[in-house]
Amino acid sequence: NKKLLNACKPLAEYSYFVDCIRKKFRKNNDLTRSVNEAIDMMPEDSILKPILNSHRAEVMKMCVLEYTQEKAEEIHQAEINKLKDEALKEKNRADNEKNRADSEKSRADNEKNRADNEKSRADNEKNRADNAEKAKKNLIAFLKNSGKTDDEIKDILNQNKK
């Protein structure tokens, strides 16, 4: 916030100092060197420069500690993110496997229903054939009881087939 930095010179200088450390560190990857160069780069009329110079060793320890803590937090957060990603992938794999199992169960249920329907159709066809055979036997018995000869019964049955 520029307004805040303009209103508070020590805060603006500290922000500049931290920014210098970060820029230097990105270039040389040496934290001690980056802190020393950032202190040296502070303007001569800076409020913080004499304090930073007189307490250089403490500033160095603080920056290293802060950097180490920051790095540890970054690593920790990266590990957490990795675990979250792995958990999410595993959940997705489990969900996909459940969906495949559900789909396979549904296919099996459909196949069972088709088989059951086919069995019902076959049973119905057998019942119709059995009923037709019984009706034929009943007709033959009726015709015999009516005094028809076997040849007459055959003729009657043959006429029904046409």
Side-chain angles (χ1 to χ4, degrees):
N1 186 325
K2 289 189 182 223
K3 187 176 179 182
L4 181 60
L5 293 176
N6 289 334
C8 181
K9 188 174 180 186
L11 181 60
E13 289 180 7
Y14 180 74
S15 178
Y16 172 77
F17 173 65
V18 171
D19 189 52
C20 285
I21 294 172
R22 287 185 177 144
K23 286 178 181 175
K24 295 285 183 184
F25 186 72
R26 271 190 237 120
K27 288 181 184 177
N28 63 33
N29 208 26
D30 180 345
L31 187 59
T32 303
R33 182 174 155 202
S34 298
V35 172
N36 279 321
E37 289 178 6
I39 291 171
D40 294 339
M41 285 180 62
M42 293 295 289
E44 292 302 321
D45 64 342
S46 167
I47 297 169
L48 291 182
K49 186 165 187 165
I51 298 167
L52 294 173
N53 271 327
S54 64
H55 300 284
R56 193 176 284 257
E58 290 175 57
V59 171
M60 190 66 61
K61 284 180 189 176
M62 182 198 72
C63 289
V64 169
L65 179 63
E66 185 176 316
Y67 174 78
T68 304
Q69 186 176 357
E70 244 179 56
K71 274 298 181 194
E73 288 173 3
E74 285 176 15
I75 290 168
H76 181 69
Q77 190 60 47
E79 289 172 354
I80 288 172
N81 291 342
K82 182 180 176 187
L83 290 173
K84 283 180 182 177
D85 288 346
E86 288 173 3
L88 183 60
K89 286 177 186 175
E90 184 57 34
K91 181 188 178 304
N92 288 340
R93 278 192 291 271
D95 288 348
N96 288 340
E97 187 59 33
K98 182 186 178 303
N99 289 340
R100 279 193 291 275
D102 289 348
S103 178
E104 186 58 34
K105 182 185 178 304
S106 179
R107 279 193 292 274
D109 289 346
N110 288 340
E111 187 59 34
K112 182 186 177 302
N113 288 339
R114 281 193 289 277
D116 289 347
N117 288 341
E118 187 58 34
K119 183 184 178 305
S120 291
R121 280 193 291 277
D123 289 346
N124 288 339
E125 188 59 35
K126 182 184 178 304
N127 287 338
R128 278 194 294 277
D130 289 349
N131 289 339
E133 187 62 31
K134 285 179 188 175
K136 181 179 173 184
K137 285 180 183 179
N138 287 339
L139 178 61
I140 292 171
F142 174 76
L143 292 173
K144 280 187 179 186
N145 286 337
S146 300
K148 301 285 183 188
T149 66
D150 287 343
D151 288 334
E152 289 173 324
I153 293 172
K154 282 182 187 177
D155 287 340
I156 292 171
L157 292 176
N158 284 334
Q159 286 176 356
N160 287 339
K161 287 184 182 178
K162 293 178 183 177

